[in-house]
Amino acid sequence: MSRASLEKDPREVAAMFDGVASGYDRANSFMTFGLDRRWRTITARALDARPGEKVLDLAAGTRVSTREYARNGAWCLAADFSLGMLRSGRHRDVPAVAADAMHLPFADGSFDAATISFGIRNFVDTKAALVEISRVVRPGGRLVICELSTPGFGPIRFLYRKFFRRAMTLLGKVTSSNPAAYEYLSESVAAWPNQHAFAEIIAAAGWQRVEWLNLTFGVVAIHRAVKPSSAGPDLNSTS
């Protein structure tokens, strides 16, 4: 099976996720010691999807997160460019569409909110994707992104950087049918910007009221922003 390079060619990334789709949810839960469920719950609270709203869940994979966000009555659409991931989640009762975040097949202002969980670091151009996402969200609409990040506390950060990649590669060998894919995933985490740097990318893409919340000592961060009627950066952090 394939693994993607850090150049993040969309075809490579899609093929890699197609190859790990069948065991992806199980591997994630194993490698995060079940914390992925808690992270999804907190992300759902930050998203605050309400009845009658339309929510776009990008890089939705097997639709686990989409189903979580739809619990309060919002209409939530799962979108992913990996057909294998979408097929693996077809038993979940939420609509899904194959879509590339760089060229979304939706009209301007189609959604009240957009969200991404553990997927944006695989996009070939983060800022361009955030601009495209803004196009399909209505003015005043919300953006919520949950992603692996950088612990702020020095000793935790040291341990995380020193052991995370080795542990992720080892656990990938134990839990996944494509261990090489987890080598790429650990490399993509190491190359990902920290909380403030990512917030600046979000603001540069035209979103406002950008803030973030650290989870599990900053191993994961939830970034939240709003689409304005006029542009201008506004960064806030919450630890």
Side-chain angles (χ1 to χ4, degrees):
M1 293 183 185
S2 65
R3 61 151 280 174
S5 69
L6 287 180
E7 280 68 39
K8 302 175 186 176
D9 179 280
R11 289 170 295 182
E12 288 183 353
V13 175
M16 185 191 70
F17 279 105
D18 286 346
V20 300
S22 61
Y24 189 75
D25 293 337
R26 182 178 64 253
N28 275 356
S29 292
F30 186 82
M31 287 189 290
T32 63
F33 304 100
L35 286 170
D36 58 318
R37 299 183 186 90
R38 174 168 172 76
W39 296 336
R40 278 196 302 273
T41 298
I42 297 174
T43 303
R45 291 176 189 161
L47 180 62
D48 190 25
R50 301 157 195 161
E53 287 190 324
K54 295 180 179 179
V55 176
L56 175 62
D57 186 14
L58 275 168
T62 62
R63 315 184 210 183
V64 174
S65 56
T66 319
R67 187 174 64 177
E68 180 75 27
Y69 305 147
R71 290 188 188 279
N72 290 336
W75 184 82
C76 298
L77 176 65
D80 202 295
F81 65 177
S82 167
L83 292 176
M85 294 288 278
L86 290 174
R87 288 184 184 117
S88 289
R90 59 178 173 260
H91 59 284
R92 297 188 172 103
D93 55 347
V94 290
V97 63
D100 182 351
M102 307 301 298
H103 306 284
L104 293 170
F106 310 114
D108 296 358
S110 296
F111 297 92
D112 298 289
T115 182
I116 309 168
S117 292
F118 305 109
I120 194 167
R121 72 181 189 279
N122 300 310
F123 293 176
V124 65
D125 187 329
T126 304
K127 181 181 175 182
L130 290 167
V131 170
E132 174 66 354
I133 294 165
S134 177
R135 180 186 66 79
V136 303
V137 172
R138 64 168 176 80
R142 311 183 299 284
L143 173 71
V144 174
I145 299 173
C146 181
E147 186 55 86
L148 293 165
S149 198
T150 305
F153 183 52
I156 297 292
R157 184 169 62 249
F158 172 79
L159 292 172
Y160 178 67
R161 287 175 173 171
K162 186 173 181 63
F163 297 112
F164 176 79
R165 284 184 60 180
R166 182 178 299 176
M168 193 170 191
T169 301
L170 176 62
L171 289 170
K173 290 178 180 178
V174 173
T175 62
S176 173
S177 58
N178 185 7
Y182 284 85
E183 293 178 14
Y184 157 78
L185 291 172
S186 67
E187 291 168 6
S188 70
V189 172
W192 186 246
N194 66 22
Q195 289 87 326
H196 190 273
F198 182 44
E200 289 183 326
I201 295 171
I202 296 171
W207 296 86
Q208 285 189 345
R209 290 163 52 191
V210 185
E211 58 186 357
W212 67 87
L213 172 68
N214 285 330
L215 307 178
T216 318
F217 305 105
V219 169
V220 167
I222 295 174
H223 282 72
R224 184 169 58 185
V226 174
K227 179 178 175 176
S229 55
S230 60
D234 182 8
L235 309 182
N236 297 286
S237 66
T238 305
S239 296

